[in-house]
């Protein structure tokens, strides 16, 4: 139950994240709105032509009396519309994720960035990503359909079919919905679909808690669109929990393979040599126009071993106080 509650918290935290980042919430609404408009158009066409479809499907009732013929064809038309609506509900998330692959990948990357960073993932062309997403979504849909058929048959069991089976159905749908939504962040971590399924099975309670809460939200048609960006953000947070990404330890950058910050070069035996320049160079160059500064307190240095040199052009000076 602890993991189940944690899954619900991830769903709530995802909605809170998009509430704090309104621009990304609007950005994530675009694929859901496109899918909704397309599905509404298809359902509108189905409703308009439901009578013709029922008449085409029941040619055996052409010769029946009018009340019976109309009753059967109305029932067939209503069943066709109901099946179309059910298929729309079952496939809405998968189709939205397929259409919104570039949108939700950017949204997931933004969540990773704000939460401390995440893996970049392989650099694949867009068509390759769409093909991989469609293939994975189809595989998940087939698995969910298999469980759906089994639960549908169990629904005919008295009492159990009306009480236990619907709860199990919500949990199963929630698990596969979590598989769909966590596909992008887990795929960036290099996990194939089988590995993702194995990882989510190891945290089944958390996956069911996240997905079951989302299934209950999606029962309200408007919330199916409004809650989709938060569901993607919450699935990214859940993926970070079950498959944390660790940044590789970086090394300090060096000036060069053989350079030392002090300018020392290694010797031939591998030992570090002495710095080539122990003192930093003078940043102020000498001014060529500056005269040398004389020290007035410095006495000239006389060499006692140096004989005075006579000037041949100088006349000897007579001493007036000397007697001849």
């Amino acid at each position: 139950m602890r993991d189940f509650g944690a899954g619900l918290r991830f769903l709530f935290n995802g909605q809170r994240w998009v509430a704090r980042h309104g621009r990304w919430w609007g950005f994530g609404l675009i694929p859901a709105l496109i899918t909704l408009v397309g599905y509404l158009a298809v359902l509108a066409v189905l409703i308009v032509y439901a009578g013709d479809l029922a008449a085409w499907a029941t040619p055996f009732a052409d010769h029946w009396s009018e009340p019976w013929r109309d009753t059967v064809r109305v029932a067939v038309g209503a069943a066709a519309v109901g099946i179309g609506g059910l298929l729309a509900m079952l496939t809405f998330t998968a189709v939205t994720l397929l259409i919104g692959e570039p949108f939700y990948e950017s949204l997931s990357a933004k969540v990773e960035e704000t939460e401390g960073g995440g893996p970049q993932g392989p650099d694949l062309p867009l068509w390759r990503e769409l093909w991989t997403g469609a293939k994975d979504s189809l595989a998940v849909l087939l698995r969910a359909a298999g469980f759906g058929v089994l639960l549908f048959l169990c629904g005919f069991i008295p009492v159990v079919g009306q009480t236990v089976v619907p709860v199990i159905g919500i949990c199963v749908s929630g698990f596969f919905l979590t598989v769909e939504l966590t596909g992008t962040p887990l795929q960036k971590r290099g996990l194939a679909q089988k590995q993702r399924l194995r990882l989510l099975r190891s945290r089944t309670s958390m996956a069911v808690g996240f997905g079951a809460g989302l299934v209950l939200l999606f029962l309200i048609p408007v919330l199916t669109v409004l809650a989709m960006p938060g569901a993607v953000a919450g699935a990214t947070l859940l993926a970070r929990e079950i498959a944390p990404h660790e940044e590789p330890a970086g090394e300090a950058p060096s000036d060069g393979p053989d350079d030392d910050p002090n300018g020392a070069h290694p010797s031939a035996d591998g030992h570090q040599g002495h710095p080539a320049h122990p003192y930093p160079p003078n940043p102020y160059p000498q001014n060529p126009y500056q005269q040398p500064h004389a020290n007035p307190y410095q006495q000239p240095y006389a060499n006692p071993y140096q004989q005075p040199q006579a000037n041949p052009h100088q006349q000897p000076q007579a001493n007036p106080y000397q007697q001849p």
Side-chain angles (χ1 to χ4, degrees):
M1 290 300 295
R2 184 176 181 180
D3 274 358
F4 187 88
L8 289 174
R9 282 196 301 272
F10 281 120
L11 177 60
F12 173 75
N13 290 337
Q15 303 299 328
R16 187 173 61 178
W17 189 94
V18 295
R20 294 199 310 264
H21 303 79
R23 186 172 66 89
W24 285 97
W25 177 72
F27 180 77
L29 283 179
I30 296 175
L33 290 174
I34 294 174
T35 307
L36 179 63
V37 171
Y39 272 36
L40 289 178
V42 172
L43 288 176
V45 172
L46 183 60
I47 292 172
V48 170
Y49 292 97
D52 296 337
L53 180 62
W56 173 81
T58 58
F60 54 86
D62 290 342
H63 303 290
W64 291 6
S65 60
E66 185 175 350
W68 291 105
R69 183 178 65 245
D70 292 344
T71 301
V72 170
R73 288 180 174 174
V74 167
V76 171
V81 174
I83 292 174
L86 180 61
L87 289 176
M89 291 179 60
L90 293 176
T91 60
F92 181 85
T93 302
V95 174
T96 302
L97 291 175
L98 180 61
I99 294 176
E101 176 72 24
F103 296 87
Y104 294 141
E105 185 175 355
S106 300
L107 176 59
S108 178
K110 184 63 178 179
V111 175
E112 296 264 24
E113 179 184 344
T114 58
E115 296 299 320
Q120 297 297 325
D123 188 11
L124 299 176
L126 180 60
W127 69 268
R128 183 71 177 274
E129 293 181 356
L130 293 176
W131 168 250
T132 303
K135 185 173 61 175
D136 291 346
S137 297
L138 181 60
V140 173
L141 186 61
L142 291 177
R143 286 188 174 93
F147 280 96
V149 171
L150 180 61
L151 292 173
F152 176 77
L153 296 176
C154 292
F156 292 101
I157 302 175
V159 182
V160 175
Q162 291 75 41
T163 55
V164 178
V165 172
V167 176
I168 297 177
I170 291 175
C171 293
V172 171
S173 300
F175 177 81
F176 285 110
L177 187 57
T178 304
V179 173
E180 279 282 346
L181 291 171
T182 56
T184 297
L186 291 180
Q187 191 174 6
K188 285 185 177 181
R189 286 161 171 79
L191 299 177
Q193 189 183 51
K194 291 183 179 180
Q195 295 173 317
R196 300 198 297 266
L197 284 171
R198 192 180 306 115
L199 179 62
L200 288 171
R201 286 196 197 103
S202 66
R203 307 295 294 273
T204 303
S205 297
M206 183 180 293
V208 170
F210 178 86
L214 196 57
V215 168
L216 295 177
L217 285 178
F218 283 1
L219 292 177
I220 304 174
V222 177
L223 292 183
T224 304
V225 177
L226 299 180
M228 182 59 76
V232 174
T236 304
L237 297 175
L238 189 148
R240 291 177 60 86
E241 173 68 21
I242 62 177
H245 171 68
E246 297 181 358
E247 291 287 346
E251 298 181 356
S254 60
D255 296 333
D258 297 326
D259 293 337
D260 185 82
N262 295 326
H265 300 278
S267 58
D269 57 357
H271 296 287
Q272 194 71 20
H274 296 287
H277 303 284
Y279 302 104
N282 184 11
Y284 305 102
Q286 185 177 2
N287 188 355
Y289 302 101
Q290 183 179 2
Q291 299 296 328
H293 178 68
N295 188 354
Y297 302 101
Q298 183 178 3
Q299 299 295 329
Y301 174 75
N303 188 354
Y305 302 101
Q306 183 178 4
Q307 298 295 327
Q309 185 176 5
N311 188 355
H313 303 286
Q314 183 179 5
Q315 298 295 328
Q317 186 177 5
N319 187 355
Y321 301 101
Q322 184 178 6
Q323 296 295 327

